[in-house]
Amino acid sequence: MQAFIQALPKTETHLHVEGALPYELLTAWQPARYPANPPFRRADYRYETFPDFERILLENALPWFTTPQRYYEATKVMFAKHVAQNVRYVETSFHLPVTKFINTPGPEIIAAIRAAVPAGLEVRIFTGMLRSDIAGDLRPTIDQLHTWDGLAGVDLHGFEQMPTEPDTAAVWAKLRAAGKVTKCHAGEFDGPARVREAIEVLGVTRIQHGVRAIEDPAVVRLAAERGVTFDVCPISNVRLKVVPSLAAHPIRRLMQAGVNCTVSTDDPLCFANAVNDEYAALADGLQFTRAELAQAARNGWAVANVSATTRKAALDEIARVEKL
């Protein structure tokens, strides 16, 4: 099974740059402050609350991400790990408020990440923000995002139970009109109503997580009928106690209901996971068959922003691997 998973040409479509900081860089940088194998990275660790998770992530990530050069150094290692796992396409987002924290324009961060992309990997760079940022000090920056070259799209992330600012829908529509992809975290720490809001009010077709839509069959049908993709992170969902176990994860039921579900890692800094680990977790915890894992890989290529030739080549390769 490990060889089969490795052979699949895969995508990663839900990955936070700051949350994917390779922990070994921190250990090499300041070993006394960042010892190897801290408790929060162990497989049996469970984050009690989202604020607890966010605190640990920021305490570890923000001291590193102080310059564009640090983004380059981190993503160079991060992308090399993707290539080693036969991941061919990545969508990753950096946290827009960091531009204020370190007084660095977003396009400089985008350029640094872009410079780290190795041969054989296609990367699309997004920026993410809290639901409250649209009404805050970042609004002038947000109003310029449609002009940023190299920015593939935007995402609403952070504590999902924050209210969605009324102006968000208009901002997201403006960005889509400029050719940017719009995403939204929903159906993770809040229920299916937030998934419905993301689809019907914000107009997105890319939901980050989305798994709690399973609590309302009408929302699942809505997602399937609208062709919405859920960029699912199974290990994250377990470690953050969104679901009690992998065996209880709803990804199979969502796929069977017609929802396009991809598989990604979310925040490897906090979970010590990799893309191949996610596929292996589905095989071990949910007894996903080879056909189901191959379908998860296909689902990623269905939404990847690549040429028709590249997409067909990946899908043909998945078909060949599946027959071996």
Side-chain angles (χ1 to χ4, degrees), residues 75-113:
T75 53
K76 184 176 182 180
V77 175
M78 182 176 85
F79 293 149
K81 293 182 178 186
H82 282 112
V83 172
Q85 295 175 86
N86 202 21
V87 175
R88 312 275 183 83
Y89 173 88
V90 172
E91 293 178 0
T92 188
S93 66
F94 67 94
H95 191 44
L96 188 63
V98 173
T99 62
K100 298 297 184 185
F101 300 162
I102 65 175
N103 194 30
T104 299
E108 291 186 20
I109 294 176
I110 293 171
I113 297 170

Side-chain angles (χ1 to χ4, degrees), residues 93-210:
S93 66
F94 67 94
H95 191 44
L96 188 63
V98 173
T99 62
K100 298 297 184 185
F101 300 162
I102 65 175
N103 194 30
T104 299
E108 291 186 20
I109 294 176
I110 293 171
I113 297 170
R114 175 61 53 197
V117 178
L121 184 67
E122 293 206 43
V123 174
R124 304 292 178 260
I125 302 168
F126 289 66
T127 193
M129 65 204 73
L130 305 178
R131 293 172 186 269
S132 57
D133 285 335
I134 285 177
D137 294 341
L138 272 175
R139 183 56 184 269
T141 302
I142 293 169
D143 285 340
Q144 294 301 312
L145 292 178
H146 68 287
T147 69
W148 286 10
D149 292 334
L151 183 71
V154 296
D155 176 29
L156 278 183
H157 62 209
F159 192 46
E160 186 184 345
Q161 292 175 352
M162 286 182 176
T164 303
E165 293 294 333
D167 203 25
T168 305
V171 172
W172 255 220
K174 176 183 175 181
L175 286 161
R176 282 194 297 273
K180 309 299 185 185
V181 176
T182 54
K183 298 182 178 183
C184 181
H185 278 58
E188 183 191 19
F189 285 96
D190 208 341
R194 299 311 291 268
V195 177
R196 181 181 291 279
E197 174 195 57
I199 297 170
E200 294 186 336
V201 178
L202 300 186
V204 306
T205 57
R206 298 290 298 282
I207 301 289
Q208 308 294 273
H209 297 297

